[in-house]
Amino acid sequence: MDTTWIRGVIPPIVTPVDEAECVDEDKLRGVVEHVLAGGVHGILSLGSNGEFYGLDREQQERAVRTTVEQVNGRVPVYMGIGAITTKECVRLAQMGEAHRVQALTVLPPMFLTPNEEELYRHFRQIAEATALPVLLYNNPDRVGNNISANLLERLADIPNLVGIKDSSGDMTLTAEYIRRTRNKGFKVMAGRDVMILGSLVYGAVGCVASTANIVPALVVEIYDKYMKGDLQGALEAQFKLAPLRMAFNLASFPVVTKEAMNLIGVPVGASILPNTEASETNRNKLKAILKEMGALQ
């Protein structure tokens, strides 16, 4: 399976919704065009910033279909899967395949605490249910389950299980993922925006970065400069990005992504309840950060 195209900067795009919390297709198309104009290498629909958990089956399908249509083959489209049961994950994988996404990303189950053998069988069954490349998504802070290096080493032998996004924030774990799978053609991607450059240095092939919704060109600059051997330039771009990512704690996750996009003139509407919005004080702090980095005039 050719996976050379799994690389670079992949924003987990936000899902604009209307007052009834249904997908706003026009605004979603605008988000796609905004990130493509920034030079991203792929787009992830229904990631955690895409508020997959707040969309029913019909709206999830609508978001994916609209994204694939708007991208129109310009970059690969990845679809996120975040469900508790194996059966539901398989259904979602097959839905993504029907809508012609190029790859899937799969979170471990939330709420439950499966052991490593159960997680192995879960991920294997999902991978075996689709012909698409499958990437795992390690985000223990959100789902409560961590994908260990031992488990990943086993999973990397499944033919179409080809990579992982690591949002653990644990660089030791990211490095172990890379060290243990580097001879298998396995793709590791940074999931923490402040650790993109560090992950690339270890051997990651790119990042899935929420800040690339807001300042895609800056995130792409980190990757492009590193790939060209301009380590100092990549480092400066990484440091320039850091305050924006650190500002994500100014409201409930993932409110700040939408707040920032609305501020810079990419309308995406409100977050899905129960999340609401940032306080006026914190919104002003966010404005100041966006102005300092040149994203807001």
Side-chain angles (χ1 to χ4, degrees):
M1 178 176 284
D2 176 27
T3 58
T4 54
W5 50 271
I6 298 176
R7 62 176 187 87
V9 175
I10 303 165
I13 58 170
V14 302
T15 308
V17 294
D18 60 21
E19 291 182 359
E21 296 188 340
C22 294
V23 175
D24 187 320
E25 292 188 15
D26 288 342
K27 287 178 180 175
L28 178 54
R29 293 178 191 277
V31 171
V32 169
E33 292 304 317
H34 171 66
V35 298
L36 287 177
V40 301
H41 306 87
I43 286 176
L44 170 60
S45 177
L46 301 182
S48 49
N49 268 264
E51 297 174 294
F52 69 87
Y53 45 80
L55 302 170
D56 63 23
R57 289 184 178 188
E58 180 184 352
Q59 294 303 313
Q60 287 185 347
E61 195 161 1
R62 191 174 170 197
V64 172
R65 182 179 66 247
T66 303
T67 301
V68 171
E69 284 177 4
Q70 190 64 28
V71 170
N72 194 26
R74 287 176 283 177
V75 296
V77 175
Y78 302 66
M79 189 191 89
I81 295 174
I84 293 175
T85 65
T86 308
K87 179 181 179 180
E88 179 65 4
C89 289
V90 166
R91 187 198 69 79
L92 288 166
Q94 292 170 346
M95 182 267 280
E97 192 166 353
H99 285 290
R100 299 185 179 180
V101 302
Q102 279 71 56
L104 304 166
T105 71
V106 186
L107 275 166
M110 293 159 276
F111 185 70
L112 306 178
T113 52
N115 61 40
E116 292 212 342
E117 185 59 30
E118 289 167 334
L119 279 175
Y120 176 81
R121 292 178 183 179
H122 173 73
F123 289 130
R124 185 182 66 189
Q125 192 166 334
I126 297 164
E128 289 175 347
T130 177
L132 292 174
V134 175
L135 293 89
L136 304 178
Y137 175 11
N138 191 44
N139 195 342
D141 289 353
R142 293 286 164 203
V143 304
N145 291 307
N146 185 54
I147 299 171
S148 71
N150 286 336
L151 176 58
L152 188 72
E153 196 169 0
R154 289 181 66 198
L155 289 164
D157 289 329
I158 297 169
N160 65 321
L161 212 162
V162 300
I164 189 168
K165 169 194 173 183
D166 185 24
S167 295
S168 67
D170 181 350
M171 186 58 83
T172 301
L173 182 61
T174 303
E176 276 297 282
Y177 282 170
I178 295 166
R179 183 181 72 83
R180 294 191 188 203
T181 63
R182 69 194 189 285
N183 296 324
K184 300 180 179 184
F186 198 78
K187 310 285 187 177
V188 177
M189 307 199 82
R192 285 285 178 100
D193 299 35
V194 293
M195 298 170 70
I196 296 168
L197 180 57
S199 300
L200 290 171
V201 170
Y202 266 108
V205 299
C207 62
V208 180
S210 51
T211 51
N213 276 285
I214 306 156
V215 286
L218 178 58
V219 184
V220 169
E221 186 180 344
I222 299 170
Y223 176 80
D224 283 350
K225 287 192 171 178
Y226 175 76
M227 294 303 291
K228 291 174 183 175
D230 180 5
L231 188 59
Q232 190 59 41
L235 181 60
E236 290 305 319
Q238 177 73 84
F239 283 156
K240 185 177 179 182
L241 180 68
L244 177 59
R245 180 60 184 85
M246 302 303 285
F248 276 32
N249 64 1
L250 293 175
S252 304
F253 175 86
V255 168
V256 170
T257 316
K258 280 187 168 177
E259 290 266 0
M261 294 182 77
N262 287 323
L263 286 170
I264 65 171
V266 182
V268 295
S271 295
I272 294 174
L273 295 173
N275 284 342
T276 53
E277 59 188 10
S279 67
E280 190 61 33
T281 299
N282 284 349
R283 189 177 297 114
N284 287 333
K285 291 178 182 177
L286 179 59
K287 282 182 184 177
I289 290 167
L290 290 168
K291 286 179 180 177
E292 177 69 23
M293 64 194 307
L296 180 64
Q297 300 305 313

